[in-house]
Amino acid sequence: MKKLTVTIRAELEIPDDWELVEHPSGILVMKIGDQFVDFDIAPLATRSVDPEAEWSDEDTSLVGKVLDAVADIDVELEVQAIQ
């Protein structure tokens, strides 16, 4: 067995009315209108070697295998004002 570390960093420019809130489950999430948004790993796959290949999560069996291999995940959210 091997260990793979995946580091994903994303910056989003968001409207002022989107906010960070603590969900009743205790996790920090985005609140957009009346919906709560969290971020998670979403494995995408393709069988194509074409540089313009379509990537998707349609192969639920493969996605399930990848997600079952996730031993730990940590999501950090921070909002900063753009000047």
Side-chain angles (χ1 to χ4, degrees):
M1 188 68 63
K2 298 180 276 188
K3 183 177 186 176
L4 169 68
T5 300
V6 177
T7 303
I8 300 173
R9 177 171 159 67
E11 290 184 7
L12 290 72
E13 293 185 1
I14 61 172
D16 289 335
D17 61 333
W18 293 13
E19 59 184 328
L20 285 182
V21 299
E22 186 172 327
H23 186 267
S25 65
I27 62 172
L28 191 61
V29 297
M30 293 288 304
K31 186 161 192 301
I32 304 172
D34 63 351
Q35 296 190 63
F36 299 98
V37 178
D38 190 19
F39 293 85
D40 203 345
I41 187 170
L44 303 175
T46 187
R47 293 184 186 276
S48 174
V49 294
D50 184 329
E52 301 298 320
E54 292 284 329
W55 294 81
S56 77
D57 60 356
E58 290 177 355
D59 186 340
T60 56
S61 175
L62 179 60
V63 169
K65 286 179 187 178
V66 173
L67 292 178
D68 286 346
V70 175
D72 186 36
I73 190 165
D74 183 34
V75 175
E76 182 179 320
L77 300 177
E78 176 184 354
V79 172
Q80 297 176 342
I82 298 175
Q83 297 181 10

